[in-house]
Amino acid sequence: MLLLAVALAAAVPPDDASGLAAPRGRGDVHIFKLGEKVAPHGGRVRIKPPVEWWGNARVQRKSMTVTIGARNVATDVGSVRLGPGKYQLKTKVKYQTWKLVPHVFVLPPGSVVRLNSTTGNDVIRVTFSGCRVTSVTDVTQSSGTLTYGCYFLGWNKVTQEEFVFPVMPVQGTYQPGQFSDQVLEHFLGGQYAGFVSSTNPQDLIDEDTALDQLTLPLELSTEYQAPGNVKTHRDSRSQSLVVRAGVKPRKCATYADFRAVNFDFSEPEKYGDSMGQVADTLRSAGKRISFTDYGDYVIEFREYRACDENASLRVGFVDGRAYAKSYST
C-alpha cells in the first residue's frame, strides 16, 4: 500500500500559481440583425439563427421560422437555404446564465487515476500526468526509500481553463536490479516503476516513472469555480431579410483583368504572379500554346479566353511566374 511521505497539506494552490478559473463575467445572449445576404447566381444562401453569446451563458436551443409574404418557408429550423427574395425571420433562443461560485473538488482515497485518461464530474476532469522521483534515502547498501512527486492536471469545462493540483508526495522503494550489476530498480506501491543504469541511488532523482495508473493513498482536493444560481431564459426577435441574387460569374477575362496581372521580365520570381494567381485573376487556367524546357528554367505561354471575342490574351511564365503578357484585338 502506498504511504504518504509527507502529509498532504491544504490542496489550494498558492495565489501566484493558483490556476483557479477566473470568472468570465456576466453571461448574456443577443439576437442580432442580419444584413443583406447575397445568394450565388442561380443558387441559394445558407442562413443560420443570428444568435451570439458570451460570458457565463450557454445556448440550449436556437431556431428560426421563415416566411415570404403569406407563405411559410420553414418552421423552427436550425438553418435554411434561401434564394433571392424578401423574407420575414423570427428567431427564438433558449439559454442559461449563471454566476461562478467557489467549490472544492475531492478525489477520495482509493481512487484509481489512470495516465492520460480523465476522471471527475460534470464540471471537473482530472488527468494523472505521471510521477517523478524527488528525493532518495539510502537505508542500506542493498535497498532504500524514495519519494515520488505525482502530478495531476484539472480541466474546468465551465470556464474552459486548465489548472494544476498540488503535487502529491508518495513513498516508494529502490533495490538492485536484475537486468545487470549496474542497474537499480524502483517500485511505487509494489508496482514496478522503472530502472536506472547506475549503482548511485541519487541518479534516480528527477527520473520519470513508467506507471500507467496510481491509487490515491489520501484524498486529493482543490478549489475550482462552478456555476451557481443557474437561470433559464427565452428570447425572440422578428426581422426582415433581403436576399439579393448574385451576379452571373464570368468565365472570361476583361482588359481590366489583364491589367491586374503582375509580371516582370527581369525578376519574374520576385514580381511576377504565379500561374495560380493568374488563373484566378483571368478566371480560367488558360490553354498552353508553347512549352520549352531549357534545363535551368522552363518557359511556357498560355492563352486565356477574353470577354471580347476579337481579343487575344496571352501570358508567358518562367518556372511558373509571369514574365510577359499581351492583349491584342
Side-chain angles (χ1 to χ4, degrees), residues 18-260:
S18 69
L20 293 182
R24 294 185 297 168
R26 186 179 66 88
D28 203 359
V29 170
H30 174 59
I31 303 175
F32 59 89
K33 181 173 176 58
L34 286 171
E36 184 180 80
K37 298 296 182 179
V38 178
H41 178 77
R44 301 184 176 194
V45 62
R46 187 181 183 189
I47 305 296
K48 296 182 179 181
V51 177
E52 58 187 1
W53 61 95
W54 57 89
N56 301 325
R58 179 187 298 115
V59 170
Q60 296 178 298
R61 189 175 188 275
K62 51 182 178 174
S63 64
M64 297 180 303
T65 295
V66 184
T67 58
I68 182 168
R71 181 170 64 89
N72 188 58
V73 177
T75 302
D76 287 336
V77 296
S79 68
V80 63
R81 293 187 178 275
L82 301 176
K86 187 173 183 179
Y87 301 88
Q88 288 293 320
L89 270 66
K90 183 175 182 179
T91 304
K92 296 189 296 184
V93 59
K94 178 183 177 183
Y95 63 98
Q96 291 180 329
T97 59
W98 63 86
K99 69 176 183 178
L100 295 179
V101 294
H103 278 256
V104 175
F105 177 75
V106 177
L107 276 177
S111 298
V112 177
V113 188
R114 290 176 172 80
L115 187 68
N116 297 325
S117 65
T118 58
T119 185
N121 56 25
D122 291 339
V123 177
I124 292 295
R125 290 179 178 175
V126 180
T127 301
F128 169 48
S129 59
C131 301
R132 179 175 297 173
V133 180
T134 57
S135 66
V136 175
T137 301
D138 189 6
V139 177
T140 68
Q141 293 183 350
S142 60
S143 64
T145 61
L146 48 82
T147 302
Y148 293 92
C150 297
Y151 298 84
F152 301 84
L153 299 176
W155 175 255
N156 191 325
K157 293 191 288 183
V158 173
T159 60
Q160 299 293 297
E161 291 184 11
E162 186 178 69
F163 56 92
V164 180
F165 283 80
V167 177
M168 172 175 280
V170 180
Q171 274 197 344
T173 61
Y174 68 86
Q175 62 188 46
Q178 300 174 356
F179 300 95
S180 74
D181 294 337
Q182 301 297 315
V183 169
L184 289 173
E185 294 178 293
H186 51 112
F187 298 84
L188 180 56
Q191 298 184 63
Y192 176 64
F195 63 92
V196 61
S197 297
S198 172
T199 55
N200 180 10
Q202 292 298 318
D203 290 341
L204 287 169
I205 295 178
D206 289 335
E207 182 176 339
D208 291 330
T209 73
L211 287 177
D212 59 3
Q213 68 181 48
L214 178 69
T215 301
L216 297 184
L218 288 180
E219 70 178 25
L220 180 68
S221 305
T222 189
E223 285 190 353
Y224 68 97
Q225 298 289 335
N229 295 343
V230 178
K231 296 181 180 180
T232 300
H233 313 266
R234 289 176 172 81
D235 196 7
S236 65
R237 177 175 181 173
S238 297
Q239 59 178 297
S240 60
L241 171 66
V242 175
V243 177
R244 183 169 53 83
V247 297
K248 184 177 180 179
R250 286 191 285 114
K251 296 183 179 179
C252 58
T254 64
Y255 183 67
D257 298 330
F258 165 77
R259 288 176 58 87

Side-chain angles (χ1 to χ4, degrees), residues 298-311:
V298 172
I299 291 183
E300 177 180 350
F301 272 86
R302 303 186 78 85
E303 186 170 39
Y304 298 84
R305 181 180 178 183
C307 295
D308 183 348
E309 62 180 13
N310 297 317

Side-chain angles (χ1 to χ4, degrees), residues 280-308:
D280 185 60
T281 303
L282 301 183
R283 293 171 171 76
S284 72
K287 178 182 178 181
R288 179 190 289 176
I289 57 176
S290 71
F291 180 88
T292 307
D293 188 346
Y294 289 96
D296 293 338
Y297 58 93
V298 172
I299 291 183
E300 177 180 350
F301 272 86
R302 303 186 78 85
E303 186 170 39
Y304 298 84
R305 181 180 178 183
C307 295
D308 183 348

